């Protein structure tokens, strides 16, 4: 017998409003801190819903946001999907031509835009017929700055005067609720749609003890952008648990994050490693009280072990999580498995530094180059496939990409992983980044981690460059720390790699650069370097004869 109602987002907010009317939602803004309660939040989402009806936005339209993390952006998180419309979160850091493509591809009806991002949106729209489908722009705030975008109104006037009650429709769980585009480091961005059922099941799994649970005693601050896969689902989970929300506003600096953690008593926060590296650096010279903070979620890229140790020293548990846009996004969380508490500290940190244990509700398999499932011995590796209730089955309007990335109901993640005896997943590389040299694999990720662990290296990345004899050879790009002699550094790094890895893993070249190019989500953009070096096939003779695979 099926359950009585479909799995939709509305009950999460209904419960928070009824049980926790006075719990706060706090937001850093250009003007200072704004705060109100779930009760007022709920009234404003109803006003937003009524305003969209009033403005003639069809009840199945796609409605986009182009915003930082703040309370009004959060109003759209429930205010749009619970009316039946689809919330499309656009990443404003993407290049203009990607934004043009995305707005056109999604056929957005209305765009909510932050005043500080207005110029960026205008730039993307410039001369583009693609924005023709957009019927209206709403600038977040209480007035409209000078703009070419038309017709335009401001958010407060848009919702003002509307009823604070709304006749919320009973929706099917298959109704699209959300949408994001993957950042497209390999070609055009791909649209990923989230149904109510996907977001509901993702929320419930996040709320399980082996997910990232949050309850009415928590103060939750998503630093991960709200345009990046629903801020990893945290606004939904925090509401489901009745937690206080804290939003860090436009471009928060480490100092802003430190103040919010201290002053609002943040207990759970989440972001990519670079954010926390920034906070760690800030803490070198500044006293920060982290006593309220229990859990720091780190994902998007691998969490360095040094970061886990740093936060352990401050009594904050760093939970390493892995996910993808196609998975709404959480796939695994690196909790320490029951029974492993007796391991020595170093081994515990090593386990926690892996991408973790598959989230309850999902299944995975790992397939090697010969099409066989790998052994769970921590050594074998292959491509990770996943499936489950919050994993997408297809991309939006992209049949050719579907054929590549989906197989018999499984999502092919493109991540190359090993699995240890305890079931911990460890990402060895991205399928497109792994270096194939003389028929053997070299992990670019491992080399990068080794280089970046050196004190004098600010950033480093490693790519495979075409080679006549070995098909590909590794080349390292290194950003030396301030005042560091590049030649001496190269010699040190060669020694370091030489000690740790087989000879044929040694990069053929160490190239000094000022900065590693980054994608719109802050990850290293190897495509840029690969394009630059694609024609510079390394020639025979550059690799010492004894450096061939299998001879070490
Ligand atoms: P994009 O950044 O390309 O828009 P996603 O945010 O969906 O797309 O990125 C998903 C990819 O990010 C994963 O397939 C994986 O390679 C990488 N990733 C995510 N979390 C982690 C992690 N904890 N450690 C290492 N890599 C990660």
């Amino acid at each position: 017998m099926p359950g009585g109602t479909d799995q939709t987002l509305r009950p999460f907010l209904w419960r928070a409003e009824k049980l926790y009317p006075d719990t706060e939602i706090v937001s850093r803004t250009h003007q200072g801190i704004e705060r109100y309660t779930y009760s007022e939040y709920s009234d404003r989402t109803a006003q937003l819903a009524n305003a969209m009806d009033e403005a003639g936005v069809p009840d199945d339209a796609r409605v986009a946001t182009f915003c930082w993390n703040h309370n009004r952006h959060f109003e759209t998180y429930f205010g749009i999907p619970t009316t039946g419309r689809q919330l499309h979160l656009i990443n404003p850091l993407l290049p203009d031509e990607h934004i043009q493509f995305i707005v056109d591809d999604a056929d957005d009806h209305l765009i909510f835009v932050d005043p500080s991002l207005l110029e960026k949106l205008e730039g993307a729209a410039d001369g583009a017929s693609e924005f023709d489908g957009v019927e209206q722009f709403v600038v977040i705030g209480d007035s409209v700055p000078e703009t070419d975008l038309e017709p335009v109104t401001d958010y407060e006037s848009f919702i003002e005067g509307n009823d604070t009650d709304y006749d919320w429709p009973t929706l099917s769980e298959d109704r699209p609720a959300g949408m994001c585009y993957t950042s497209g480091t390999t070609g055009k961005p791909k649209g990923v749609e989230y149904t109510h059922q996907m977001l509901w099941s993702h929320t419930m799994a996040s709320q399980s003890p082996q997910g990232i649970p949050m309850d009415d005693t928590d103060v939750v601050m998503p630093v991960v952008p709200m345009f990046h896969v629903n801020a990893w689902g945290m606004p939904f989970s925090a509401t489901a648990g009745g937690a206080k929300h804290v939003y860090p506003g436009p471009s928060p600096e480490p100092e802003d994050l430190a103040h919010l953690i201290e002053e609002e008593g943040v207990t759970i926060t989440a972001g990519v490693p670079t954010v926390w590296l920034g906070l760690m650096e800030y803490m070198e010279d500044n006293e920060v009280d982290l006593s309220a903070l229990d859990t720091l979620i780190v994902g998007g890229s691998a969490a360095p072990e040094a970061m886990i140790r740093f936060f352990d020293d401050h009594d904050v548990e760093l939970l390493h999580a892995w996910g993808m846009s196609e998975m709404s996004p959480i796939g695994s969380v690196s909790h320490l498995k029951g029974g492993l508490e007796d391991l020595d500290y170093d081994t515990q940190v090593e386990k926690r530094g892996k991408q973790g244990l598959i989230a309850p509700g999902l299944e995975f398999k790992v397939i090697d180059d010969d099409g066989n499932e790998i052994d769970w011995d921590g050594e074998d590796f292959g491509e990770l496939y996943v499936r489950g209730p919050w994993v997408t089955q297809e991309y939006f309007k992209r049949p050719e990409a579907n054929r590549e990335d989906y197989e018999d109901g499984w999502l092919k993640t493109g991540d190359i992983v090993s699995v240890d005896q305890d079931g911990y997943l460890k990402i060895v590389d991205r399928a497109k980044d792994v270096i194939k040299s003389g028929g053997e694999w070299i992990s670019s990720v491992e080399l990068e981690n080794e280089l970046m662990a050196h004190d004098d290296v600010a950033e480093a990345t490693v790519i495979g460059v075409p080679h006549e004899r070995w098909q590909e050879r590794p080349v390292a790009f290194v950003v030396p720390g301030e005042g560091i002699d590049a030649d001496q550094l190269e010699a040190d790094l060669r020694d370091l790699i030489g000690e740790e890895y087989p000879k044929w893993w040694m990069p053929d070249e160490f190239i000094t650069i000022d900065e590693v190019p980054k994608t719109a989500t802050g990850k290293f953009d190897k495509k840029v370097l690969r394009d630059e070096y694609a024609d510079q096939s390394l020639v025979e003779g550059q690799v010492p004869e004894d450096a061939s695979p299998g001879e070490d």
Side-chain angles (χ1 to χ4, degrees), residues 178-195:
M179 184 183 213
C180 287
Y181 278 73
T182 61
S183 55
T185 42
T186 51
K188 273 191 301 189
K190 291 177 279 195
V192 176
E193 293 191 284
Y194 310 108
T195 62

Side-chain angles (χ1 to χ4, degrees), residues 159-420:
I159 67 167
E160 196 177 40
N162 280 288
D163 204 335
T164 52
D165 282 321
Y166 189 77
D167 189 11
W168 302 104
T170 303
L171 299 171
S172 150
E173 62 189 21
D174 295 331
R175 184 116 173 175
M179 184 183 213
C180 287
Y181 278 73
T182 61
S183 55
T185 42
T186 51
K188 273 191 301 189
K190 291 177 279 195
V192 176
E193 293 191 284
Y194 310 108
T195 62
H196 277 267
Q197 168 271 318
M198 288 169 72
L199 296 180
W200 190 92
S201 56
H202 182 270
T203 305
M204 296 310 278
S206 295
Q207 283 292 54
S208 72
Q210 292 195 328
I212 304 166
M214 36 195 82
D215 66 23
D216 54 9
T217 62
D218 279 312
V219 179
V220 177
M221 178 166 77
V223 181
V224 48
M226 293 175 83
F227 52 75
H228 197 187
V229 217
N230 316 312
W232 299 346
M234 291 179 90
F236 297 127
S237 313
T239 308
K244 170 177 164 181
H245 298 231
V246 177
Y247 292 99
S251 322
E253 293 293 329
E255 187 182 1
D256 302 314
L257 298 179
H259 285 166
L260 288 169
I261 291 171
E262 286 177 338
E263 278 152 33
E264 301 301 332
V266 171
T267 60
I268 303 180
T269 182
V272 295
T274 34
V275 168
W276 307 121
L277 285 172
L279 184 63
M280 285 162 69
E281 256 166 45
Y282 176 77
M283 287 175 70
E284 279 172 17
D285 302 320
N286 299 277
E287 201 51 46
V288 180
D289 177 7
L290 295 182
S291 56
L293 192 61
D294 296 323
T295 312
L296 184 81
I297 317 290
V298 181
S301 304
E305 284 187 14
M307 192 178 277
I308 300 180
R309 291 173 197 273
F310 177 93
F311 284 101
D312 276 349
D313 288 345
H314 289 83
D315 231 1
V316 175
E317 187 190 13
L318 187 155
L319 266 187
H320 187 199
W322 163 84
M324 294 178 74
S325 303
E326 291 85 338
M327 304 181 65
S328 315
I330 293 170
S332 64
V333 186
S334 212
H335 287 279
L336 200 61
K337 211 174 170 184
L340 299 185
E341 302 87 355
D342 296 337
L343 291 175
D344 63 274
Y345 180 64
D346 286 350
T347 316
Q348 288 192 17
V349 170
E350 196 194 318
K351 288 270 182 207
R352 290 166 56 205
K354 296 187 180 191
Q355 278 65 28
L357 303 171
I358 193 79
L362 299 180
E363 291 170 275
F364 76 87
K365 60 181 181 181
V366 183
I367 305 295
D368 69 16
D369 252 5
D370 301 324
N372 301 317
E373 284 205 37
I374 64 157
D375 291 332
W376 288 22
D377 59 5
E379 301 280 330
D380 257 13
F381 49 82
E383 184 173 2
L384 175 64
Y385 289 52
V386 285
R387 67 177 179 192
W390 58 93
V391 180
T392 41
Q393 290 287 298
E394 59 183 9
Y395 293 113
F396 182 66
K397 301 199 292 202
R398 295 291 289 280
E400 82 297 346
N402 291 343
R403 278 191 290 279
E404 221 168 89
D405 293 348
Y406 298 91
E407 195 177 284
D408 302 331
W410 294 89
L411 166 72
K412 294 161 76 177
T413 65
D415 284 330
I416 306 295
V417 302
S418 65
V419 189
D420 68 18

Side-chain angles (χ1 to χ4, degrees), residues 428-545:
V428 181
D429 217 332
R430 292 285 296 160
K432 59 179 191 295
D433 294 338
V434 80
I435 301 162
K436 294 198 173 156
S437 185
E440 296 289 334
W441 285 11
I442 297 174
S443 163
S444 66
V445 167
E446 267 200 52
L447 287 176
E448 273 164 21
N449 289 345
E450 191 68 36
L451 297 175
M452 280 199 287
H454 193 287
D455 281 347
D456 295 344
V457 172
E459 286 180 338
T461 190
V462 177
I463 63 166
V465 169
H467 186 277
E468 278 178 7
R469 175 158 173 205
W470 303 114
Q471 298 104 51
E472 271 187 336
R473 290 292 305 151
V475 169
F477 294 82
V478 178
V479 183
E482 228 166 86
I484 300 298
D485 177 69
D487 293 336
Q488 182 57 46
L489 181 59
E490 176 175 339
D492 292 352
L493 294 176
R494 283 186 180 276
D495 286 347
L496 192 72
I497 304 275
E499 278 163 29
E500 296 286 326
Y501 295 97
K503 283 196 194 106
W504 51 278
W505 277 50
M506 179 69 75
D508 284 17
E509 281 186 59
F510 286 75
I511 299 174
T512 303
I513 51 174
D514 292 337
E515 196 192 346
V516 176
K518 313 271 186 333
T519 69
T521 49
K523 300 181 190 182
F524 287 177
D525 195 347
K526 298 190 186 186
K527 185 167 172 281
V528 174
L529 295 170
R530 235 181 254 127
D531 287 349
E532 212 165 299
Y533 285 83
D535 304 333
Q536 303 197 12
S537 235
L538 294 172
V539 288
E540 185 67 29
Q542 266 183 297
V543 191
E545 275 303 308

